[in-house]
Amino acid sequence: MTIHVAIILPFLMAFIISIINKKFTKIHIGWLALTVPIIVFIILARLIPIIASGNPYTHTYQWIPSLDINFTTYLDGLSMIFGLLISGIGSLVVLYSIFYLSSKESLQHFYCYLLLFMGAMLGVVFSDNLMVLYAFWELTSVSSFLLISFWHHRKASRAGAQKSMLITVTGGVSMLVGFIMLHMMTDSYSVHEIIHQIEHISEHELFIPAMILILLGAFTKSAQFPFHIWLPDAMEAPTPVSAYLHSATMVKAGIYLVARLSPIFGGEMLWFWIVTTVGLITLFWGSFNAVKQTDLKALLAFSTVSQLGLIMSLVGMGSVAYALDFEADTVIYTQATFAALFHLINHSTFKGALFMMVGIVDHEVGTRDIRRLGGLMSIMPLTFTVAVIGSLSMAGMPPFNGFLSKELFFAAVLHIKDLNLFSISSVGILFPVIAWIASVFTFIYCMIIIFKAFLGRPLIQKVERPVHEAPFPLLVAPFILCIMVISLFFFPNTLGKYILKPAMVSIYPNLAPAQKLTPEIHAWHGINTEILMTIAVILIGTILYRLLGKWMGIYRFYPPNWSLNALYVNVISGSESLSNKVTNSYMTGLLRHYAFYIYSFFIFSVGVFFFYSGAFSFSTENNASIEWYEWILIGVMLLAAISILFVKSRITAVILNGVLGFGVTFFFVLFRAPDLALTQLVVESVTTVLFLLCFYYLPEWSTEKLSISTKISNSIISITVGALVVVISLAVLNFDKFERISKYFEDAYNLAGGANIVNTILGDFRGFDTMLEVVVLFIAGLGVYTLIKFKAKKGGTDFED
Amino acid sequence: MKTNDVILKTVTKVVVFIILTMAVYLFFSGHYSPGGGFIGGLVLASAIVLMYLAAGIEIVHKGMPFDFKIIAAIGVLLATGTGFASVLFGQDFLTQAAIAVHFPLIGEKELASVVLFEAGVTLTVVGVVVTIILNISEGGE
């Protein structure tokens, strides 16, 4: 129940803020918003001991029980990490934004969106029900969309928001399909119930499709290659948003999902390969591209992409442990997951600090372009401290927490190299190589942050205002994060015991008793391959950084129109122009064409269906004989109908049409339908008169100039439709599966007191139809009246358009 | 040139009554022999149109100062109203009923609510047809 409160609280506060913002002008409204993450953090922190002792905390609130969709919260170690990150970093970001955003901005919107996001994110990590998880997942996409486009007067903000929305929602929808497939396999939406059924579903035919679709959702959200392109564009958001959403929380939702579902899919070889490979590619590609960025925020965006790839690949490597038999020496592979969780926390701390640092630089100097920055160290020493701590931790240097997780990462890739499973041995050596190269690039861009922005030449151009150190309150949040960066280096095992261990237990439920599940983290573990790799990273990285100008040219090797962004733009604009073309090709505005489509569809659907269902059956044995006067009538009508096609004047056509009508009247007489004959006679006269009246005012009848192919296709269509209708009518005549109901009406005199059956049907048995037909007639009359009386005056507005 | 249509007018004077009688006959006989509300209304409307043709709109309008739109509306009201009337008596919508009444001169006759329904149909048909023809012939100028 407490967890429900923690999820609902941000939504409640978002509502309150949007209501009372007008009355709350004296103080910055962010202070009100700040209470929410702090309260949530305290709530969660109080539950740490319970979770650490291995008792997950679960509660169900019935929402749609009939559909098996209930708001079930499940707090275990894994959710706890994310919950603490969301509320903890959330508090710091709100604190930072209070001093970052001026009160001229529309603050109530900002905090409303931010709290919406926070609540949605808490919902994602605490939900046990897949459908509820999906709902919150999409809510994070929506609130992130709103936050990215916070400065919606700027075109780039709108474009970035649109891009991130398109990509993450596309992934989200595919994830929904995957969830539904899981439900089809297991008949349950609860993650934990599905985990218990894992033996029964791994052979199911939907297992692999569900896995791939869910991974698609996780990869798009977590900005994995090739879906990472939305993240750099999302840097148009205010910096607190970038710090919160695009480094610490939302982009980790995909990692949360992969880690959460690892017990389900982890034993599958495909899962290991996809997650690890995509993670490694993202790791390399992000770090490689970060080096060439000139905007500090874009650099940090690519570095986030790269670090997320690192975490993702670690989660993938950790899934190997599911496939192996659980023995003492296979537990070693779970250390990859341990490293992933550890780095997840580390990354949130130092990346949050770095984003806040960039925000301060932007705030104080007015630019974040590293070509225009430089020599800020002496002016902004405190900001510089933050930058150094954050960057070195990101590069994996001691004495910061990044060092520890980087060492664990190297250890994990080295272990996986030796794994003799999944035919890994052939390509195993690639894992440490790619990891090492990516680390070199990481080192280089971290150096760029420190040296290009803060050291070196002073500012090239004069800025309008004198640059000075940021105000103290702005620095509080990044400093708290820096303190965490350092203290996590010195006391990693406290974190390991209380936070990481329960999370490991929830990722590896079957391995819970194993002692080695949470290794002791040592800052120094002797001279081994990992430390040698780190030393090599520093050496090669330093050399490459010094020679940066020499090899920057490799970024110009691939033409800009080959990039993934260009592909995205081409796909979007291409699909727009394609759909435009397709629509224009058949929506011609010519009624003749539409009639063509309608009749063709009729021919194909009805004709083909009847043909294949064997409905066309004829017999002539029940037919009545045709009298000579019927032949004459048919001949006259045929003559009139065919002549209509060839007559030159409209009046002739109308009169021939009348001939047809009166011919029908005769048929009614011949077939003993006096009421119909009477009505047909009068109605035919009236319509003929009306036709003549109307056509009197029409211009001369000019024959349409049609091309010969149109004429041919028109005649084919009309002949086919005619033939089809005739064939259907003949087949209907032969249909005798049901008894006729006309016997009932023959008793009309007793039932309705009338001898005229037709009239009793019209007035009594089926009076409802007649009543509505009367209404139809009335509406038609009113329509004619209004069309004529209220038509636009000459020269007035034409209402037709 | 002013045409002398005295023959038309004279014939109309006679014929209109025949047509009107025919219309009333068709209307009332509908329940037992061919005819009914719809055809009766059409014939009635044709009589009125004939009068318009022979005498002109203004003169006929002086003699029959009806708004045919309102007549059509009354017809619709009558047709739907009989449906609702049966609801008032606790029956299903549009249930028709009949009672036998003894009239002083003509003996016992059946009075059926279906006649009211048919009357609604007739009025609507007359109203609509005359409205359409009048409007089109006026509006074209």
Side-chain angles (χ1 to χ4, degrees):
Chain A
M1 199 59 215
T2 331
I3 307 304
H4 285 107
V5 172
I7 296 174
I8 298 301
L9 202 59
F11 293 110
L12 206 63
M13 186 55 98
F15 181 65
I16 292 173
I17 279 181
S18 52
I19 287 177
I20 66 160
N21 74 83
K22 289 267 160 52
K23 297 176 185 125
F24 208 73
T25 48
K26 291 269 167 55
I27 334 169
H28 196 288
I29 205 159
W31 292 109
L32 193 61
L34 183 59
T35 55
V36 172
I38 290 180
I39 292 173
V40 173
F41 188 80
I42 292 171
I43 291 176
L44 290 175
R46 282 164 53 88
L47 294 173
I48 288 177
I50 305 175
I51 303 298
S53 62
N55 299 315
Y57 198 86
T58 176
H59 191 269
T60 299
Y61 173 78
Q62 302 266 311
W63 183 22
I64 318 175
S66 55
L67 293 179
D68 191 21
I69 297 176
N70 292 311
F71 189 10
T72 304
T73 57
Y74 187 89
L75 181 66
D76 61 355
L78 187 64
S79 312
M80 177 59 99
I81 291 186
F82 282 89
L84 287 175
L85 278 180
I86 292 160
S87 53
I89 309 271
S91 324
L92 296 175
V93 163
V94 172
L95 181 68
Y96 177 78
S97 64
I98 290 172
F99 300 101
Y100 184 84
L101 291 173
S102 77
S103 47
K104 288 190 191 93
E105 307 275 7
S106 56
L107 290 172
Q108 76 275 17
H109 291 134
F110 181 80
Y111 288 107
C112 183
Y113 301 158
L114 198 69
L115 287 170
L116 276 184
F117 171 79
M118 192 181 291
M121 201 63 211
L122 288 171
V124 166
V125 299
F126 290 144
S127 293
D128 182 51
N129 191 289
L130 287 174
M131 283 297 126
V132 178
L133 193 155
Y134 172 74
F136 282 120
W137 183 279
E138 292 297 16
L139 196 54
T140 64
S141 294
V142 172
S143 51
S144 158
F145 171 80
L146 292 169
L147 283 166
I148 294 169
S149 57
F150 179 63
W151 289 314
H152 49 77
H153 46 86
R154 300 202 314 212
K155 191 167 179 274
S157 295
R158 298 198 301 270
Q162 189 198 31
K163 193 175 186 179
S164 72
M165 185 77 165
L166 274 177
I167 293 179
T168 54
V169 169
T170 307
V173 171
S174 86
M175 190 181 85
L176 174 67
V177 178
F179 284 170
I180 293 170
M181 286 180 175
L182 267 185
H183 184 257
M184 286 167 71
M185 286 187 276
T186 61
D187 205 29
S188 165
Y189 279 125
S190 162
V191 176
H192 293 88
E193 285 172 23
I194 294 175
I195 288 174
H196 288 308
Q197 300 187 30
I198 178 68
E199 293 88 17
H200 311 297
I201 64 168
S202 53
E203 296 300 318
H204 200 282
E205 57 183 347
L206 286 180
F207 188 68
I208 299 293
M211 173 206 283
I212 290 168
L213 288 170
I214 291 173
L215 276 182
L216 208 60
F219 287 165
T220 50
K221 199 76 164 178
S222 275
Q224 299 295 304
F225 186 88
F227 309 113
H228 65 274
I229 50 174
W230 66 266
L231 189 60
D233 285 13
M235 290 300 132
E236 294 298 329
T239 304
V241 173
S242 308
Y244 188 42
L245 272 68
H246 306 129
S247 68
T249 52
M250 186 176 93
V251 288
K252 298 208 165 91
I255 289 172
Y256 167 78
L257 193 75
V258 171
R260 175 57 87 199
L261 300 182
S262 276
I264 301 176
F265 297 112
E268 192 70 31
M269 188 174 87
L270 201 60
W271 174 270
F272 165 79
W273 279 114
I274 294 179
V275 176
T276 313
T277 319
V278 169
L280 283 175
I281 293 174
T282 314
L283 165 66
F284 170 74
W285 191 248
S287 63
F288 178 69
N289 274 298
V291 174
K292 74 166 180 183
Q293 302 302 322
T294 53
D295 180 2
L296 272 180
K297 258 179 120 173
L299 190 153
L300 286 181
F302 275 107
S303 107
T304 304
V305 170
S306 155
Q307 305 275 324
L308 290 169
L310 189 157
I311 301 172
M312 192 63 90
S313 69
L314 279 172
V315 176
M317 288 180 220
S319 71
V320 168
Y322 297 105
L324 298 169
D325 295 330
F326 291 117
E327 293 163 17
D329 56 337
T330 57
V331 171
I332 202 163
Y333 299 110
T334 65
Q335 286 186 16
T337 309
F338 183 79
L341 294 174
F342 189 41
H343 194 71
L344 182 91
I345 299 172
N346 294 345
H347 177 250
S348 299
T349 56
F350 65 68
K351 193 50 70 63
L354 281 173
F355 266 111
M356 291 177 186
M357 177 278 292
V358 172
I360 291 171
V361 170
D362 195 10
H363 211 257
E364 299 302 326
V365 184
T367 180
R368 11 174 245 259
D369 193 328
I370 49 172
R371 289 169 300 190
R372 295 164 70 190
L373 293 171
L376 286 176
M377 181 180 76
S378 51
I379 311 170
M380 309 170 76
L382 294 173
T383 317
F384 175 64
T385 317
V386 175
V388 167
I389 294 176
S391 306
L392 289 183
S393 177
M394 184 156 70
M397 297 298 113
F400 307 109
N401 56 5
F403 173 72
L404 301 174
S405 43
K406 184 67 65 85
E407 295 296 290
L408 286 170
F409 173 53
F410 281 155
V413 288
L414 288 171
H415 286 311
I416 217 81
K417 173 174 71 80
D418 302 328
L419 180 67
N420 198 10
L421 185 81
F422 298 161
S423 66
I424 214 173
S425 47
S426 49
V427 293
I429 189 66
L430 278 175
F431 286 54
V433 170
I434 293 174
W436 183 80
I437 295 174
S439 298
V440 173
F441 280 114
T442 307
F443 186 82
I444 295 171
Y445 69 69
C446 292
M447 292 305 108
I448 289 175
I449 296 175
I450 299 176
F451 286 95
K452 293 231 167 143
F454 288 93
L455 296 173
R457 305 151 298 172
L459 298 170
I460 296 173
Q461 62 157 50
K462 295 273 177 276
V463 286
E464 300 88 51
R465 49 209 164 138
V467 178
H468 52 73
E469 182 56 275
F472 175 70
L474 207 50
L475 283 164
V476 170
F479 262 96
I480 293 175
L481 287 171
C482 284
I483 290 167
M484 284 190 60
V485 167
I486 298 172
S487 54
L488 281 179
F489 176 79
F490 288 106
F491 309 105
N493 292 319
T494 319
L495 184 81
K497 187 177 166 199
Y498 286 104
I499 307 285
L500 295 181
K501 185 165 177 253
M504 289 297 284
V505 172
S506 53
I507 295 180
Y508 295 103
N510 297 342
L511 276 177
Q515 288 301 313
K516 283 188 182 168
L517 206 53
T518 43
E520 287 279 307
I521 308 170
H522 299 291
W524 177 252
H525 33 71
I527 301 290
N528 53 13
T529 326
E530 293 97 292
I531 200 82
L532 290 176
M533 281 170 78
T534 306
I535 292 169
V537 164
I538 297 174
L539 285 177
I540 306 289
T542 315
I543 294 168
L544 281 178
Y545 175 70
R546 304 294 287 185
L547 302 174
L548 200 55
K550 297 263 194 304
W551 57 273
M552 277 302 266
I554 62 163
Y555 287 110
R556 286 192 288 276
F557 274 176
Y558 66 85
N561 55 354
W562 281 22
S563 67
L564 286 166
N565 264 322
L567 180 72
Y568 168 82
V569 171
N570 286 340
V571 166
I572 296 289
S573 60
S575 55
E576 271 173 16
S577 65
L578 183 71
S579 56
N580 204 9
K581 258 184 220 153
V582 169
T583 310
N584 284 342
S585 70
Y586 69 93
M587 299 304 284
T588 51
L590 282 179
L591 288 178
R592 192 172 68 232
H593 289 171
Y594 301 156
F596 178 80
Y597 306 145
I598 293 168
Y599 286 126
S600 313
F601 180 78
F602 171 73
I603 291 167
F604 280 102
S605 60
V606 177
V608 171
F609 172 74
F610 272 43
F611 184 76
Y612 279 106
S613 65
F616 293 129
S617 63
F618 313 102
S619 82
T620 49
E621 50 191 70
N622 291 332
N623 287 1
S625 59
I626 306 173
E627 304 293 331
W628 58 270
Y629 45 86
E630 290 169 346
W631 279 118
I632 294 175
L633 201 52
I634 291 167
V636 169
M637 284 178 74
L638 267 180
L639 210 63
I642 294 170
S643 320
I644 287 181
L645 297 175
F646 300 101
V647 294
K648 296 274 182 252
S649 112
R650 188 177 276 131
I651 296 292
T652 322
V654 170
I655 289 173
L656 284 173
N657 198 36
V659 170
L660 283 182
F662 291 120
V664 172
T665 312
F666 277 108
F667 267 119
F668 285 145
V669 172
L670 291 180
F671 294 145
R672 294 188 295 281
D675 290 275
L676 289 182
L678 272 175
T679 314
Q680 172 72 20
L681 186 72
V682 184
V683 168
E684 191 56 44
S685 318
V686 171
T687 43
T688 307
V689 168
L690 283 177
F691 269 138
L692 291 173
L693 206 57
C694 294
F695 289 169
Y696 178 74
Y697 300 104
L698 287 177
E700 272 302 296
W701 196 5
S702 57
T703 26
E704 253 184 306
K705 296 271 182 293
L706 292 176
S707 67
I708 197 81
S709 64
T710 321
K711 275 184 180 169
I712 289 174
S713 75
N714 280 357
S715 44
I716 289 176
I717 286 282
S718 45
I719 289 170
T720 322
V721 170
L724 187 62
V725 171
V726 169
V727 170
I728 290 174
S729 329
L730 291 177
V732 166
L733 276 183
N734 212 30
F735 187 84
D736 51 2
K737 293 252 164 61
F738 305 110
E739 209 184 329
R740 289 162 197 249
I741 59 165
S742 52
K743 276 209 179 66
Y744 173 77
F745 295 115
E746 280 166 18
D747 199 18
Y749 192 78
N750 291 330
L751 290 166
N756 181 346
I757 296 180
V758 175
N759 224 306
T760 49
I761 291 174
L762 287 178
D764 202 328
F765 295 117
R766 307 294 305 271
F768 197 66
D769 297 357
T770 315
M771 189 192 86
L772 293 182
E773 276 155 21
V774 165
V775 175
V776 167
L777 195 65
F778 182 57
I779 291 170
L782 282 188
V784 171
Y785 178 74
T786 37
L787 273 179
I788 288 170
K789 287 288 171 187
F790 298 104
K791 69 178 175 187
K793 300 276 179 289
K794 278 206 171 87
T797 326
D798 191 357
F799 290 113
E800 258 185 34
D801 290 325
Chain B
M1 187 184 86
K2 182 141 172 60
T3 49
N4 190 352
D5 49 3
V6 65
I7 296 176
L8 176 67
K9 285 184 176 169
T10 315
V11 170
T12 303
K13 276 176 194 162
V14 181
V15 165
V16 157
F17 283 101
I18 301 172
I19 298 178
L20 284 176
T21 317
M22 173 77 177
V24 174
Y25 167 76
L26 282 172
F27 173 76
F28 278 112
S29 71
H31 220 50
Y32 297 97
S33 51
F38 194 80
I39 188 69
L42 278 175
V43 174
L44 198 59
S46 68
I48 295 169
V49 171
L50 182 63
M51 281 195 276
Y52 277 120
L53 281 177
I57 291 172
E58 287 80 16
I59 293 171
V60 178
H61 195 75
K62 224 175 270 172
M64 287 195 303
F66 309 130
D67 187 343
F68 282 96
K69 293 187 295 297
I70 292 175
I71 289 183
I74 291 170
V76 172
L77 212 65
L78 209 57
T80 48
T82 54
F84 285 107
S86 63
V87 175
L88 287 183
F89 288 103
Q91 301 288 320
D92 287 340
F93 187 68
L94 266 177
T95 308
Q96 307 291 6
I99 43 164
V101 179
H102 190 80
F103 287 96
L105 284 178
I106 45 179
E108 193 172 87
K109 287 287 168 189
E110 204 174 49
L111 280 187
S113 62
V114 75
V115 175
L116 283 178
F117 183 75
E118 294 281 327
V121 176
T122 309
L123 288 180
T124 315
V125 170
V126 172
V128 168
V129 170
V130 176
T131 306
I132 290 176
I133 289 180
L134 274 187
N135 274 299
I136 289 181
S137 58
E138 276 178 354
E141 282 126 36

